[in-house]
Amino acid sequence: MSIGPDAVRPTPGYHDVGGRDLGPVRRDETPMTHWQWESEAMRALMGTEANPYLTLDKLRRAFEEFGEALYDRGFHQRRVASMVHLLIEQGVVTRAELVAALAGDDLAEGAAP
Amino acid sequence: MSRFAPGDHVRILDRDHRGHMRTPRYLRGRRGVVERHCGAFPNPEKRAYDRPAEPRDLYRVRLRQHDLWPAYRGALADTLEVEIYDHWLEPVDGA
Amino acid sequence: MEPDHDHAPIEAPDERADPDARTIRALKRLLIAKGYFTAADVRATIEALQSPGPHNGAEIVARAWSDPAYRDRLVADGTGAAAEMGHPIGEAGLIVVPNTPEIHNLITCTLCSCYPRSLLGQPPPWYTSKAYRARSVSEPRAVLAELGWTPPGTIEIRVHDSTADMRYLVLPMRPEGTEGWDEGRLARLVSRDSLIGAAPARAPDTLDP
């Protein structure tokens, strides 16, 4: 399901924001959450020479092609979406496996005291 | 031997490129001066897709903000420096 | 105003239901089951990611303020000089840009969020925001004011857009009134914001005695 370089993207260059009037800069200093640290750790573990599935170049390319709606959900959120996009594209996981794992998560989290 | 040296005047090309690239739109067609040659690095346009990535010369280019933005409000001296790959640059005569 | 750099991860109240948190938990379980890494690997990687921070940049700047030969090496070869201080740069290269009375530097990445993470740790959310990335290049003075500092009108503001493989560290000017200070004390004046160029280094009178 890779959208290769010759495909037409939803909105070309929505990530290429230099010079756009996007409103005031708010001094957001929100610390990273636990899941965000885990996300970065997994990105690093799966972006090595041995497991080159989530290298920075690929991560960037993925969030440039999956559409502006996903992109605008936020910085850490787009990285998660990019990771899912790439891991499925490269056959590391399947969508069905991910759905099943999410269902398992619902059971596990629901069962927690 | 790299194509450009510090002090060379260059223009950033407006190439018709699809897919991943590291040349922002706001720089297309703009002129600047080479600040340094950074070295050669694997072409990110290929690395993003698992294609063999040949090394390409990377340069830092300095531009004048008043040349970049029609409505720029700042000092005349204000500048912007960016890294641009060799295949996005062409030489121009010195200003 | 930048916060204290406390890394204690926040468990958001809705982290059980948050869709991205759920996705990360599910992916982690899947990838562990498939043998790509272990839970211990994830914990160790988190620790490694949390180890760098602005204190590394402060140490480098304090050395540069104290040792002119080191400062020259730092500006000529940021990667090598950082390594000298025990801070190997994981990215392709570090370029150190010195502030002077004539030039104030500001770092940004319009295309994504490049930042010298192997040295300074994770960037603040305002740095990765679309608004900062978009307007730091076209309206740097307005953006600096929104972040809390107004530079002199006559100084050159030089913005560095990290478009490719290099990463950037601003070398702020040494504040007045710090003659004879040791490096440890000088480092306390070097804020994370000053390493990005969002502000100058702290003034001596802002420190507790």
Side-chain angles (χ1 to χ4, degrees):
Chain A
M1 64 171 275
S2 168
I3 304 173
D6 298 317
V8 175
R9 287 173 296 172
T11 310
Y14 52 79
H15 68 288
D16 189 350
V17 298
R20 287 176 52 193
D21 184 9
L22 294 182
V25 178
R26 301 190 199 291
R27 190 177 257 291
D28 183 357
E29 299 279 2
T30 309
M32 281 168 60
T33 65
H34 176 65
W35 74 257
Q36 290 168 357
W37 282 110
E38 290 211 317
S39 174
E40 288 304 310
M42 286 162 51
R43 205 288 313 158
L45 286 165
M46 298 297 281
T48 62
E49 282 202 24
N51 290 313
Y53 305 105
L54 301 180
T55 61
L56 285 178
D57 296 285
K58 290 182 183 175
L59 213 76
R60 291 169 187 146
R61 181 263 296 174
F63 62 56
E64 292 165 14
E65 67 186 18
F66 61 36
E68 194 162 12
L70 273 178
Y71 187 84
D72 280 351
R73 288 192 57 244
F75 173 72
H76 291 286
Q77 289 77 1
R78 83 172 70 106
R79 282 166 91 85
V80 175
S82 193
M83 288 163 62
V84 169
H85 180 93
L86 288 166
L87 290 173
I88 292 174
E89 173 194 289
Q90 294 169 100
V92 175
V93 304
T94 67
R95 193 168 286 285
E97 284 175 326
L98 187 53
V99 168
L102 282 164
D105 177 82
D106 287 341
L107 289 173
E109 294 302 310
Chain B
M1 193 66 195
S2 57
R3 191 157 64 118
F4 299 111
D8 287 354
H9 291 255
V10 291
R11 177 176 290 114
I12 296 166
L13 297 170
D14 191 10
R15 300 177 75 222
D16 180 22
H17 180 88
R18 307 237 189 139
H20 184 66
M21 68 192 105
R22 301 298 293 181
T23 307
R25 273 178 307 190
Y26 75 88
L27 291 171
R28 305 299 179 87
R30 305 302 191 183
R31 292 179 55 140
V33 175
V34 172
E35 187 263 350
R36 79 180 75 181
H37 173 232
C38 299
F41 300 92
N43 185 355
E45 295 161 14
K46 302 282 175 61
R47 284 227 299 193
Y49 301 98
D50 263 339
R51 284 144 76 178
E54 73 288 1
R56 294 274 181 148
D57 284 314
L58 182 67
Y59 297 94
R60 298 192 73 242
V61 177
R62 178 178 302 157
L63 306 100
R64 295 178 59 249
Q65 291 281 47
H66 278 276
D67 290 345
L68 276 177
W69 315 106
Y72 187 73
R73 289 186 307 206
L76 272 176
D78 287 356
T79 52
L80 180 90
E81 295 188 353
V82 295
E83 300 151 50
I84 302 290
Y85 276 95
D86 177 85
H87 56 290
W88 284 91
L89 295 171
E90 67 179 1
V92 295
D93 292 337
Chain C
M1 180 70 170
E2 70 177 79
D4 291 331
H5 294 278
D6 175 5
H7 284 312
I10 309 290
E11 174 95 11
D14 57 349
E15 195 148 317
R16 284 189 186 168
D18 180 288
D20 296 290
R22 290 180 64 228
T23 303
I24 287 300
R25 279 197 301 272
L27 266 183
K28 182 177 154 191
R29 229 194 333 272
L30 265 181
L31 294 173
I32 288 173
K34 289 171 183 283
Y36 284 100
F37 50 74
T38 66
D41 290 332
V42 175
R43 284 192 297 273
T45 305
I46 289 177
E47 275 191 37
L49 289 173
Q50 293 184 341
S51 163
H55 55 277
N56 292 343
E59 195 183 307
I60 285 171
V61 167
R63 171 64 56 89
W65 287 344
S66 307
D67 178 347
Y70 180 77
R71 183 198 185 278
D72 289 345
R73 292 198 297 281
L74 184 64
V75 174
D77 174 13
T79 310
E84 257 189 71
M85 298 282 291
H87 303 301
I89 299 299
E91 297 88 355
L94 181 73
I95 293 180
V96 178
V97 288
N99 286 350
T100 71
E102 292 79 37
I103 300 169
H104 180 86
N105 296 282
L106 179 66
I107 313 303
T108 190
C109 178
T110 62
L111 292 175
C112 51
S113 69
C114 300
Y115 185 79
R117 287 172 171 82
S118 67
L119 181 70
L120 299 185
Q122 303 298 307
W126 59 261
Y127 181 89
T128 61
S129 69
K130 279 175 77 174
Y132 178 77
R133 287 166 45 209
R135 294 176 51 244
S136 49
V137 289
S138 54
E139 295 185 281
R141 291 170 183 275
V143 166
L144 285 168
E146 287 159 16
L147 289 169
W149 180 63
T150 301
T154 50
I155 202 170
E156 173 189 334
I157 300 295
R158 180 172 294 172
V159 182
H160 302 268
D161 189 358
S162 320
T163 42
D165 301 76
M166 302 291 103
R167 301 294 182 269
Y168 295 86
L169 186 76
V170 174
L171 172 56
M173 285 201 294
R174 178 172 177 164
E176 300 282 333
T178 60
E179 293 73 25
W181 284 31
D182 65 37
E183 287 181 37
R185 201 161 162 221
L186 286 170
R188 295 172 60 206
L189 296 177
V190 185
S191 61
R192 181 212 55 204
D193 281 6
S194 70
L195 299 168
I196 301 173
R202 298 184 180 114
D205 59 15
T206 61
L207 288 191
D208 297 331

